[in-house]
Amino acid sequence: MGTRFLLITAATALALASGRGHAHHSFAVHYDSSKPTTKEGVVTEFRFTNPHGILMLDVTNARGEKERWTVETTSPTYMRRSGWTRDMIKAGDHVIVDGWAARDGSRLMRIRTVKRPDGTTIGGRQEAGDQ
């Protein structure tokens, strides 16, 4: 009975650990609403996927060095409701992204708005509390 109990316990622990390991976290876990940030650069990739879209952006910093930024969006469902489509942004597009910085200081931010250099807003505005 000891071996069977250990196997059942190990299997249960593994199942519970894998099920919660990729749980969704709220805006406040990763981003700081008191740290607004703006990044201007060239899009290298735009993924309109669940649970969050991802915009990869090459930004030239103050020292003239390229930095790769990851910009997280809300889910495509919410984005569509705000007027977004999957082909609004393409690799090579020059954009200006306003959003909120990651709490950990990494090159990660949450989207608020995206504009073209002429000031035209792309899609709709995102909010900090959007899922």
Side-chain angles (χ1 to χ4, degrees):
M1 181 163 133
T3 302
R4 183 176 176 188
F5 175 76
L6 287 175
L7 286 173
I8 291 171
T9 303
T12 302
L14 182 61
L16 290 172
S18 65
R20 297 297 297 166
H22 298 288
H24 179 81
H25 297 285
S26 72
F27 170 91
V29 169
H30 297 288
Y31 306 99
D32 188 342
S33 62
S34 70
K35 291 183 181 176
T37 188
T38 300
K39 297 297 172 190
E40 183 171 349
V42 177
V43 175
T44 60
E45 183 180 356
F46 178 54
R47 294 184 302 221
F48 200 70
T49 57
N50 281 315
H52 300 278
I54 298 291
L55 173 68
M56 301 302 288
L57 191 64
D58 278 347
V59 174
T60 303
N61 68 22
R63 294 182 308 274
E65 303 163 337
K66 258 191 195 167
E67 297 177 341
R68 174 71 46 96
W69 278 78
T70 301
V71 182
E72 185 180 65
T73 73
T74 61
S75 76
T77 301
Y78 286 106
M79 292 177 72
R80 280 187 201 99
R81 290 178 190 163
S82 296
W84 284 82
T85 64
R86 72 176 52 252
D87 8 341
M88 286 187 130
I89 300 176
K90 295 189 179 355
D93 286 354
H94 187 111
V95 296
I96 303 160
V97 181
D98 288 315
W100 298 275
R103 288 187 178 280
D104 66 4
S106 65
R107 292 183 187 135
L108 174 68
M109 65 185 285
R110 180 66 178 247
I111 190 175
R112 183 173 184 170
T113 58
V114 180
K115 295 180 181 176
R116 300 212 184 273
D118 68 2
T120 307
T121 299
I122 301 172
R125 177 184 161 128
Q126 305 295 306
E127 294 298 331
D130 287 352
Q131 307 259 341

